Amino acid sequence: MRPDPFSGLSAFLAVAEAGGFTAAAARLDVSPAAVSQAVRALEERLGTPLFVRTTRRVGLTEAGAALLARVNPAAAEIIAAVEEAAATDEPSGLLRLTVPRMAVPLVVEPVIPALRLAHPRIAIEIAVEDATVDLPGRGFDAGIRIGEYIARDMVAVRLTRDIAWSVVASPAYLAAHGRPEAPQELTAHEAIRYRFPRSGALYRWEFERDGRTFSVDPPGSLIVNDGALLASCARAGLGLAYVADIAVESELHDGHLVGVLEPFLPRTPGLFLYFPQRAQAQPKLRAFIDVAKQVLQPMR
């Protein structure tokens, strides 16, 4: 009898995503021994180990990583197909979203309670990370990112107004160090720098003058890779920070932060929900979009 080609794959995917057998077992609601046995049977059937097991961590072998790259997108497609086939008038299923930290107070916190109230059969998993994410490869239904960073082959739905980029500092910092009037004066100031989580590159501050764009690499001895921490450090008076105005709107309004260099700062598209074309028919995703539009439109 031909073996079931799907046998052990759900356990394999759970371990790969959770990073361990115990965590995978909790997700699948089975015992760790059952997960281990299923993975071991799959490895024996394939004739190659899929995981490197140590006392501290569980990692993928080269063969395991190759299998994950092929199987994970297919698994997402199968799950979506099953959910669509079983769809009723009430959207259901697990909606997995990847969002940047900036989107948590602007989108996630106002939308998710309304979504849960309107559609209690939709389960929600949210991963907060600023790095660019391969949606199908990581098993996400959709993501939220700044518009200019979304690939053109994705469907994009606007969630917020456009972003006006801002250089901000606390009133105490400006009182002690003065207010820069032009980007070239940043060399005399302390900048709080942002490092991209995935590439590791430091962000160069972008400006405009007479229709021309240019960037500045300001000096700074404090580097972070989290936007919320960036604003927090600026509020603490540790230097100037380059941030999206929608991320610090309340701090600018109440005077905890002050904007400088406004005539030189660009505007870019705001936050968008994005997803592959084939995913837009999913009732759970359509429900999120409808609720987000209802909740965020007045705020925009």
Side-chain angles (χ1 to χ4, degrees):
M1 180 181 294
R2 183 180 178 182
D4 180 3
F6 296 101
S7 178
L9 286 179
S10 60
F12 165 73
L13 289 170
V15 174
E17 185 174 324
F21 286 83
T22 301
R27 291 190 179 194
L28 297 175
D29 196 24
V30 298
S31 68
V35 174
S36 180
Q37 182 178 356
V39 170
R40 195 172 301 279
L42 177 61
E43 290 176 323
E44 291 176 356
R45 192 169 83 241
L46 297 178
T48 184
L50 300 174
F51 294 102
V52 178
R53 303 163 175 83
T54 68
T55 55
R56 292 188 176 184
R57 63 183 296 272
V58 175
L60 287 164
T61 63
E62 184 176 354
L67 180 63
L68 180 65
R70 294 288 301 275
V71 170
N72 210 22
E77 285 290 307
I78 292 172
I79 292 171
V82 171
E83 289 177 351
E84 288 179 27
T88 63
D89 292 337
E90 175 58 34
S92 61
L94 174 63
L95 178 66
R96 300 189 72 239
L97 302 174
T98 168
V99 307
R101 191 165 297 278
M102 180 198 308
V104 172
L106 297 172
V107 178
V108 174
E109 290 177 353
V111 171
I112 295 305
L115 180 65
R116 293 291 295 150
L117 183 63
H119 303 286
R121 293 182 59 189
I122 297 179
I124 306 162
E125 181 178 345
I126 298 170
V128 181
E129 51 190 324
D130 289 332
T132 302
V133 173
D134 173 17
L135 295 184
R138 293 275 303 278
F140 288 107
D141 297 292
I144 297 175
R145 290 295 184 273
I146 294 174
E148 63 180 322
Y149 298 125
I150 297 175
R152 294 191 177 186
D153 61 345
M154 292 285 173
V155 178
V157 178
R158 179 181 288 276
L159 297 174
T160 72
R161 62 171 174 81
D162 285 349
I163 292 170
W165 292 95
S166 303
V167 176
V168 299
S170 70
Y173 175 87
L174 296 177
H177 300 278
R179 182 187 181 104
E181 300 296 336
Q184 58 266 28
E185 296 180 17
L186 290 172
T187 56
H189 285 268
E190 175 74 10
I192 306 166
R193 306 299 305 279
Y194 178 82
R195 189 182 297 281
F196 289 104
R198 186 173 296 278
S199 70
L202 285 173
Y203 179 69
R204 294 175 61 89
W205 294 9
E206 298 175 0
F207 298 97
E208 294 180 350
R209 180 190 288 128
D210 300 326
R212 181 177 60 89
T213 60
F214 62 98
S215 61
V216 173
D217 198 15
S221 55
L222 177 59
I223 300 171
V224 303
N225 70 348
D226 179 85
L229 182 57
L230 192 70
S232 177
C233 290
R235 286 196 304 271
L238 301 181
L240 297 163
Y242 192 101
V243 297
D245 68 329
I246 59 175
V248 294
E249 199 165 27
S250 61
E251 289 92 336
L252 290 169
H253 182 266
D254 60 27
H256 291 157
L257 289 174
V258 178
V260 299
L261 302 176
E262 289 94 336
F264 303 96
L265 290 159
R267 297 180 68 88
T268 59
L271 292 171
F272 287 74
L273 180 77
Y274 71 101
F275 45 86
Q277 180 82 28
R278 62 182 180 272
Q280 63 182 334
Q282 297 183 64
K284 61 185 179 182
L285 187 55
R286 296 304 313 172
F288 178 89
I289 293 171
D290 292 342
V291 171
K293 287 181 176 179
Q294 294 170 9
V295 172
L296 299 178
Q297 186 67 37
M299 298 172 63
R300 292 221 306 261

